[in-house]
Amino acid sequence: MRALMRETYLGTEHLIAPLFMVANADAKNPIKSLPGQYQLGLNALLSEIEESLNAGIQSFVLFPAVDDYLKDKTGTYGFQSDNFYLQAVREIKSRFPEAYLISDVALDPYSSDGHDGYVDNGKIDNDKTLPLLARQALAQAEAGFDMVGPSDMMDGRIGYLRSALDQNGYTEVSIMAYTAKYASAFYGPFRDALDSAPKSGDKKTYQMDPANGREAIREALLDEEEGADVIMVKPALCYLDVIQALRQQSTLPIAAYNVSGEYAMLKAAAANGWIDENKAMVEMLISIRRAGSDMILTYFAKAYAKLVKSGYAYH
Ligand code: PBG
């Protein structure tokens, strides 16, 4: 009877697995604050994608962990077409054309300042950042990404990227806009994974105030107007009300990012025997769907898919 009346369905097709990459092809470095997640060199990355595809996960968002000596103020390495990130994408696409690949567009993985935007005299220069983001997005489209994911929160970048992509013939490359991305404490483990924490200051001049809900609607309407194909709320769990509000205001598909800190909290409690990991994971993910998201970026993607395959029935 519970199954007949269940309102919300979470399938593996709704999940997107974030993966971290490094240049050394043979590496598989555990990330201490993200148990079960690794910095993957090309070989381990290809195995991880194959295993995930077999488990039923078809979409991936890729993040590069770049060595410090390659970082500079404009994030030049991000738009070098032979960088390890873009080379890996070509390799994945030739081996697994069915894998749907989403990029990360932002300066922080490549920036000596550790900020998502260009830093000028201690301030983020929004408009100087836009052409740098466009160069990244174009290099990513050229390498074979299906969708670009601007996670930087600069104003006006969705429209700017859409026209740059269109003018260069990438009309079929979609944009997943990190629309309502909050200045959150829950990104800590991700910054460990990429060693991308800001060198000075914080991200509060471009990421949103956790106290604001209406502002998320304004951001969503702007991104929709500028040509976003998907709008995102990030993090997910403290912002379920924001997901629900955007669901009511926009007809676009909604993504929610179940971020690193949310994953780490559950993993830590489970490792201590304080919580049932599988039950808590499913409840967490279902709640994000119930709030109104279509797709969920989550470090639990493969674990959930394997659980479903094993015949696990929740509640
Ligand atoms: C930065 C970026 C961040 C995440 C994705 N892209 C961190 C930040 O804004 O500092 C966080 C994802 C996570 O915590 O899982 N462009």
Side-chain angles (χ1 to χ4, degrees):
M1 189 164 104
R2 284 167 75 85
L4 279 173
M5 296 177 187
R6 184 159 297 137
E7 298 172 28
T8 309
Y9 168 70
L10 172 68
T12 53
E13 68 272 30
H14 299 127
L15 301 180
I16 302 170
L19 299 175
F20 300 109
M21 298 159 49
V22 278
N24 171 6
D26 296 320
K28 186 172 180 182
N29 312 323
I31 301 163
K32 207 170 160 207
S33 51
L34 286 175
Q37 304 296 314
Y38 301 83
Q39 293 180 330
L40 303 162
L42 183 60
N43 297 324
L45 178 72
L46 291 170
S47 317
E48 179 67 25
I49 289 182
E50 184 167 29
E51 192 187 330
S52 303
L53 288 168
N54 289 336
I57 300 298
Q58 57 202 13
S59 304
F60 305 89
V61 56
L62 305 177
F63 295 101
V66 176
D67 285 334
D68 268 346
Y69 78 93
L70 292 167
K71 299 182 182 178
D72 61 17
K73 282 198 79 70
T74 55
T76 313
Y77 188 67
F79 38 83
Q80 282 178 5
S81 64
D82 62 345
N83 74 29
F84 77 86
Y85 182 63
L86 301 177
Q87 277 179 347
V89 168
R90 295 186 186 95
E91 189 65 28
I92 299 165
K93 274 288 172 191
S94 77
R95 300 254 196 121
F96 309 110
E98 72 275 31
Y100 190 79
L101 302 183
I102 306 168
S103 76
D104 179 44
V105 179
L107 256 54
D108 60 326
Y110 318 98
S111 151
S112 44
D113 294 304
H115 274 287
D116 296 23
Y118 179 76
V119 181
D120 206 5
N121 280 325
K123 279 192 175 175
I124 307 296
D125 190 324
N126 188 93
D127 292 2
K128 271 194 194 151
T129 305
L130 300 182
L132 300 170
L133 298 173
R135 288 186 70 177
Q136 267 190 29
L138 289 175
Q140 293 166 351
E142 192 274 324
F145 272 107
D146 300 289
M147 185 180 249
V148 295
S151 67
D152 55 280
M153 286 300 276
M154 297 301 120
D155 291 334
R157 92 279 202 211
I158 302 303
Y160 196 94
L161 293 182
R162 186 67 271 160
S163 58
L165 289 166
D166 289 350
Q167 280 163 22
N168 287 276
Y170 300 113
T171 51
E172 290 180 6
V173 173
S174 310
I175 301 180
M176 172 184 274
Y178 286 59
T179 292
K181 178 174 177 180
Y182 287 88
S184 172
F186 291 93
Y187 307 150
F190 176 97
R191 293 178 190 171
D192 291 345
L194 296 194
D195 189 22
S196 64
K199 296 288 186 284
S200 68
D202 54 43
K203 298 193 174 186
K204 290 181 189 163
T205 63
Y206 46 105
Q207 297 183 349
M208 285 175 53
D209 182 344
N212 291 1
R214 287 194 306 272
E215 187 183 355
I217 297 171
R218 190 161 76 240
E219 292 277 8
L221 297 177
L222 283 168
D223 285 355
E224 182 162 352
E225 177 85 21
E226 291 178 34
D229 298 283
V230 178
I231 52 178
M232 187 199 293
V233 176
K234 174 185 177 182
L237 294 175
C238 293
Y239 303 90
L240 295 176
D241 59 323
V242 177
I243 297 174
Q244 192 168 47
L246 293 200
R247 177 70 298 148
Q248 282 156 13
Q249 299 286 335
S250 175
T251 55
L252 282 178
I254 295 179
Y257 200 143
N258 179 213
V259 299
S260 57
E262 298 173 330
Y263 172 89
M265 281 196 302
L266 202 161
K267 281 292 202 186
N272 276 294
W274 296 338
I275 204 166
D276 180 317
E277 182 172 345
N278 286 338
K279 281 190 184 155
M281 167 179 77
V282 176
E283 188 173 332
M284 228 185 208
L285 295 174
I286 274 282
S287 76
I288 301 170
R289 286 270 299 151
R290 192 192 64 240
S293 66
D294 298 285
M295 60 201 95
I296 306 173
L297 296 85
T298 178
Y299 303 95
F300 286 115
K302 190 176 74 178
Y304 179 77
K306 287 193 164 179
L307 201 60
V308 170
K309 272 218 150 152
S310 74
Y312 180 87
Y314 60 92
H315 302 306

